[in-house]
Amino acid sequence: MSHPLRGRRPAAWVVAGLGLVVLAMTTLVGLEVAQQSRALVDRVDTTEDLVLANVRTLGQTQREVLRLQVLVVTGADGPTLRRQAAFVTQRTQESALDSHRATLGAADLIAVARQDAQAWRSDLLPDVRALAAVPPARRDPAATRQLLADLEVLEESYFDLVSLGEIYRREQAAQANADNEELVNSTQDLFMWLTGTFATAAVLLAAGGALMFRLHQQRSAAHERLSQLNEDLMWYARIVQATDSILFTIDNDGRFTWVNEAFERTMGYAYSDVTGKRPPDVLHGPATDPETVRALQEKLQDGEQFRCELANYTADGQEIWMAVDVSPVLDEEGAVTGFCAIQSDISERHEAELLLKQARLDAEASARAKAAFLATMSHEIRTPLNAVLGLTDLLLLTELNVEQRDYVETAQQSGQHLLALVNDILDISALEAGRMEYHDDPFSLAEVLDETTTMFVAQAERKGLDLRLDPDPGIPPLLRGDAVRVRQILVNVVGNALKFTETGSVRVSPRVTGRADGRCQLEVVVADTGIGVPKWRIPQLFRSFARGDVSSTRTYGGSGLGLAISRTLAEAMGGTIELDSELGHGTTVRITLDLAVVEEEQTAAVRSPDTLPHHGGLRVLVAEDDLVNQKVVKRMLQRLGVSPVIVANGQEAVDAVAEEVYDIILMDVQMPVMDGVRAVRLVRDLDPTPRPWVVALTANALSGDRERFMAAGMDDYVSKPMTIDSLAAALERASLQLPNALPGPEASEPRRS
């Protein structure tokens, strides 16, 4: 009889074997679940790192750049700009680390982050430091605008990186969710299987239960962390939707695949309205530049980034100018899967640029109109002045009694005053335009000072003032510079002193303040005992049209241009003018000049001004349409021994040259029938022998007129109103160039004064 337990041994072995199988399977399944759980934890950790990296690095970098833009726009001081620049430098360096390759998900994007960091260090940071070194009030607006534009490009690049990082994190979160669901399903199956086998393998079931409990804890913790990450991702998605910048994506066929809320708010199109459509079919209109659109499409076809400014239209037809930045979106293999576009409204800036352009055109038109007006007024005023001053000059050469001479001299002084006003207006216009001309010729400062004070002797005597010149024997006999401009400065200053002085004296005191390297530093002090001006009004006196007497009664006249012109002339010649005054106690003006000294061997003989030259051998043709000016020129030439031929326009001048030989032609410029410029060109075309010397005799005295007439073929230039001395000087210059001219008597006629 067999043992009752003997038949149970196979069963025991089966149970034992089954237990071992269950144990082995449980162990394998547990290991697999543990591995999947570890993978899930790693994925969750990776996703968490993505979020943290994005928040701490890319997002902070973008915000620091934005803060720097705000500081530049608001004109922050230098230390604040440098401190914020240091923050940007730190963030850009952190965003370019290798550890952020996981954040961006692609090597080319981390390369972009490194390029941005390099661009910041090498291009933008020096500009920020240069701007910080300048006080806010003195910063160059053009440099500030360029820096803001560069910062905007940098901020947009980091914004793109943040957007692409968010897209990558969204993909990682979705994959983590899928893995989590798969793990939950696997865990549930395992739990059910272990429950069925628990009765046969209590120990194995206990072990499996403990393992499941541990796995469940891990799964719960991972699920909680993943839920938090999903909330963070949703938060960043809402930020993207809430931004004022227009964002949208298109596929490789150029059709909309997504738009943000800013797009819908600004353009007036819902997402469903544009899905599947192309941007040109929805956004473009009459003002959209076809060339820009064509260039944009070519870049998209090549899968390249493109930036431009473009006119877009809203759903209700409103035109909006946009700054467009389109970048390709690449997959893991680097293939283009679509494009992401960022648009910013620049309508106000575009309108400002149009207004600025129109303002520039208006200013240029105004400048042309001003120049034309000045040229016309100069000609119209100088033409009758030529007759007035010319006839009074001729009249002073005749025998006059004391009363008649006083009348003539008064009339001539009034004409000279009117001419000075015209010259002041032309000078201030030339100074404003930077076209004032300066000569560099030898002259005697002592003679200029003597002439200036002599000019005002009669005025000083009428007012009972003591006008005194205190000469300095140390002043060199001859200096080099523009004697006319120096005289103009002295006349303005001395004239002002006499004008505003009723009792007392006016003293002109020149002195040498230094000599070095062939140059002489001079100071001319003009001191008066006049009414003076308040201290606070002194700076205003050097502005155009500013007067010392601003009362309603206007006791003292004047254009208010003298001091403004004088200071500008002095500064242009390396000097300056300073004014010190006390109300009721007089004014002191200090004129400083820096002029070259002319050595004795460089001096030349000068003709005595008390005699008039005789040019009886010259054959002179005068082309002048004004009858009074014809008489003036004719009488002046006759006093110089010349019997001229007079014609009334340019055509008659050309006909006269074709019939007779002339040494000199005095050619007016503005004449009926034919002007002087065309006439002289026709005369040159005739090529007469000998070639006549043509002198422009014109009231056109603006800067550049002399060069224009010389370029037209004229040889010399005399502006109206002319004097007998200026006409004689022109004839002398012509005689030096006309060796074949008929010789005339050398005797000179004495001048009467």
Side-chain angles (χ1 to χ4, degrees), residues 63-83:
R63 286 196 296 274
E64 296 299 344
V65 174
L66 285 173
R67 289 195 187 100
L68 181 58
Q69 289 180 269
V70 172
L71 292 177
V72 173
V73 171
T74 57
D77 57 17
T80 303
L81 287 179
R82 287 189 290 270
R83 184 168 54 254

Side-chain angles (χ1 to χ4, degrees), residues 450-471:
D450 184 67
E451 292 172 2
T452 301
T453 53
T454 302
M455 182 187 306
F456 292 104
V457 167
Q459 180 180 348
E461 290 178 350
R462 286 195 297 270
K463 299 183 70 173
L465 301 176
D466 180 17
L467 176 60
R468 184 184 308 172
L469 172 63
D470 300 327

